[in-house]
Amino acid sequence: MFFTTRTIAAAAAFFAASSVSAERIGKRCTGTISSLSDVSAAVACTTININPFTVTAGQTFDLELASGTTVNVLGDVTFGVSNWAGPLFQIAGTGVTFNGNGYTFNGQGASYWVNFLRLENFSALRDELTVVIQDGEGGNGGVTKPKFMKIKSSGNLKILNSPVHVFSIGNTAPLTIDGITIDDCESSASHSNWGCSINVVPVFHIAAGDAANSKSGGDPAGHNTDGFDVSASNLVIQNSVVMNQDDCLAINKGSNITFQNNKCSGGHGISIGSISSSVTVSSIKILNNAVSDSDNCLRIKMDADATSSTVSDVTYTGNTCSTIHKYGVLIDQSYPDTLGTPGTGVILSNVAFTSGNTVSVDSGADEVDVNCGSGACTGTWNWSGLTTTGGDAGKINYSGITGYPNSGTVTTAKTTTTTTKT
């Protein structure tokens, strides 16, 4: 598993973001960390070995690394429990290689359901590192939950039970994330198709979020477990697996983003948005992905009260959706409502389904819904590469769509009053 090129800011919840520090030259020595008191001396070296230890509750395990440092995890690291903002772990540096070696970073998620990971400026993320992180409310409330990791370099991690969002990515320099598996399921029985039974190595592993607990109101305790939250440009995410209870991908802003050859299961599918005010999203390619056993497959969600934002040049090619429970394709400008009164502050243009997109939804689910505010959807959208089956046709209120069987006929979108952000 590799995070390549220059910047990863990954883990809005578990890893917190931070600005990139100036490049620092280290010594050719090996530093060893067996407690937080060892950190200041160890980071002077360009090789760092992390032994098993417990991080004091309420403190950040913070590595400000010299350029080209190699970090080797040699045992499990456990983070003490405290209701604080975090992050639990923060790592920064340029050209950093992070070797997880199959060990675990344990955030002790039985105590709260937390945000997980942030990476920036890694050159390689290799092997496997597990990060384990419950009040059942995710990011919607409950106790204060620490963000888990803020990374400004790259490496290979194995993640188990992210409290909330896993990767929050905010880079501007080119970045490729390749071969990650996020498993937030309790067992292989949790998903009806390939779901949690997928075996992918190396693994970014997050588990046990499918089960409800006493405080989650019957919902999965692991909601808000977004796989990749993106506010970035020049980004490729590929060859990865996400098994969770929320968005597999959520693009909030950025340009030149490609999401390809990935598998998503159990959550809310592949999303652009939600789009808030003063945001630009452009040149997005969603290519050859498989979405299974999810509420939605392909979605663009825009805040009803957003202003001065644009979303343009979104291309879907070769995507396969199966066992979709609610909406196959959903383009909605009424968020956080679903198919409510749409806003007009996000201008949406050039949304194309070019070839090979097949969407199969459950009986009673909608195949396609498009809910545009007056004048907020513009141009001609070529949807000749979209085939849908299995459920109700849905409602399209924009006449600029061509090539799709239900396009060109404006109908009235059905309205719901759901206001829980999903």
Side-chain angles (χ1 to χ4, degrees), residues 309-371:
S309 292
T310 62
V311 177
S312 62
D313 300 324
V314 179
T315 301
Y316 298 95
T317 303
N319 300 287
T320 301
C321 310
S322 60
T323 320
I324 303 302
H325 310 313
K326 295 181 178 180
Y327 302 98
V329 174
L330 177 61
I331 296 176
D332 191 1
Q333 295 191 320
S334 70
Y335 192 78
D337 288 352
T338 300
L339 301 178
T341 301
T344 59
V346 181
I347 303 303
L348 178 62
S349 62
N350 195 22
V351 178
F353 288 82
T354 57
S355 65
N357 298 281
T358 60
V359 177
S360 176
V361 304
D362 295 345
S363 176
D366 283 6
E367 295 173 5
V368 175
D369 286 285
V370 178
N371 184 29

Side-chain angles (χ1 to χ4, degrees), residues 24-95:
R24 187 167 62 82
I25 305 301
K27 301 177 182 177
R28 290 185 176 274
C29 57
T30 298
T32 300
I33 297 175
S34 300
S35 70
L36 290 185
S37 62
D38 297 329
V39 171
S40 59
V43 296
C45 298
T46 55
T47 299
I48 296 175
N49 295 331
I50 300 176
N51 290 327
F53 77 101
T54 297
V55 177
T56 304
Q59 295 188 28
T60 299
F61 182 8
D62 190 357
L63 298 179
E64 289 280 343
L65 301 174
S67 177
T69 294
T70 296
V71 179
N72 303 303
V73 181
L74 303 182
D76 295 341
V77 176
T78 301
F79 294 83
V81 174
S82 178
N83 295 330
W84 66 301
L88 301 181
F89 180 60
Q90 177 167 291
I91 183 169
T94 59

Side-chain angles (χ1 to χ4, degrees), residues 365-407:
D366 283 6
E367 295 173 5
V368 175
D369 286 285
V370 178
N371 184 29
C372 294
S374 179
C377 293
T378 66
T380 299
W381 302 355
N382 178 9
W383 284 23
S384 60
L386 174 63
T387 301
T388 61
T389 59
D392 300 331
K395 305 294 184 181
I396 297 174
N397 75 350
Y398 179 55
S399 61
I401 297 171
T402 65
Y404 177 70
N406 284 354
S407 62

Side-chain angles (χ1 to χ4, degrees), residues 8-351:
I8 297 179
F14 203 68
F15 295 131
S18 63
S19 58
V20 178
S21 57
E23 185 169 319
R24 187 167 62 82
I25 305 301
K27 301 177 182 177
R28 290 185 176 274
C29 57
T30 298
T32 300
I33 297 175
S34 300
S35 70
L36 290 185
S37 62
D38 297 329
V39 171
S40 59
V43 296
C45 298
T46 55
T47 299
I48 296 175
N49 295 331
I50 300 176
N51 290 327
F53 77 101
T54 297
V55 177
T56 304
Q59 295 188 28
T60 299
F61 182 8
D62 190 357
L63 298 179
E64 289 280 343
L65 301 174
S67 177
T69 294
T70 296
V71 179
N72 303 303
V73 181
L74 303 182
D76 295 341
V77 176
T78 301
F79 294 83
V81 174
S82 178
N83 295 330
W84 66 301
L88 301 181
F89 180 60
Q90 177 167 291
I91 183 169
T94 59
V96 171
T97 297
F98 195 99
N99 298 313
N101 295 317
Y103 290 105
T104 296
F105 273 23
N106 185 351
Q108 303 200 76
S111 301
Y112 37 55
W113 204 269
V114 187
N115 285 342
F116 198 75
L117 175 66
R118 182 158 196 152
L119 309 178
E120 297 181 9
N121 289 345
F122 275 36
S123 64
L125 184 54
R126 295 178 177 167
D127 301 322
E128 298 182 9
L129 172 72
T130 302
V131 184
V132 185
I133 308 233
Q134 139 194 116
D135 64 17
E137 297 191 43
N140 293 334
V143 300
T144 301
K145 303 170 180 71
K147 299 180 190 297
F148 195 83
M149 196 183 304
K150 181 191 252 177
I151 300 182
K152 305 170 188 176
S153 27
S154 68
N156 223 3
L157 295 176
K158 182 177 181 180
I159 302 178
L160 178 65
N161 288 339
S162 167
V164 207
H165 308 153
V166 182
F167 282 95
S168 179
I169 304 167
N171 61 291
T172 54
L175 169 67
T176 296
I177 298 177
D178 191 353
I180 301 302
T181 295
I182 298 170
D183 182 357
D184 208 357
C185 309
E186 183 176 22
S187 70
S188 61
S190 297
H191 291 271
S192 60
N193 196 357
W194 34 266
C196 295
S197 64
I198 292 179
N199 294 314
V200 178
V201 178
V203 168
F204 234 112
H205 198 136
I206 304 174
D210 275 357
N213 63 29
S214 61
K215 297 183 179 181
S216 65
D219 295 327
H223 53 272
N224 302 117
T225 53
D226 291 12
F228 299 97
D229 268 356
V230 175
S231 297
S233 295
N234 306 311
L235 172 68
V236 176
I237 300 172
Q238 62 188 14
N239 305 319
S240 296
V241 174
V242 177
M243 295 168 281
N244 66 343
Q245 300 80 27
D246 212 297
D247 292 331
C248 176
L249 169 73
I251 298 174
N252 301 304
K253 64 179 180 179
S255 61
N256 299 318
I257 298 167
T258 299
F259 189 74
Q260 62 186 4
N261 301 319
N262 303 292
K263 294 182 178 181
C264 308
S265 179
H268 297 164
I270 297 170
S271 296
I272 296 172
S274 65
I275 302 301
S276 57
S277 296
S278 303
V279 166
T280 299
V281 174
S282 63
S283 300
I284 309 300
K285 296 180 180 180
I286 309 297
L287 312 176
N288 304 313
N289 303 287
V291 181
S292 175
D293 190 21
S294 299
D295 281 354
N296 318 293
C297 182
L298 304 171
R299 179 167 62 156
I300 303 176
K301 50 182 178 176
M302 295 150 281
D303 292 356
D305 60 358
T307 60
S308 304
S309 292
T310 62
V311 177
S312 62
D313 300 324
V314 179
T315 301
Y316 298 95
T317 303
N319 300 287
T320 301
C321 310
S322 60
T323 320
I324 303 302
H325 310 313
K326 295 181 178 180
Y327 302 98
V329 174
L330 177 61
I331 296 176
D332 191 1
Q333 295 191 320
S334 70
Y335 192 78
D337 288 352
T338 300
L339 301 178
T341 301
T344 59
V346 181
I347 303 303
L348 178 62
S349 62
N350 195 22
V351 178

Side-chain angles (χ1 to χ4, degrees), residues 3-18:
F3 294 113
T4 59
T5 69
R6 298 188 58 93
T7 304
I8 297 179
F14 203 68
F15 295 131
S18 63

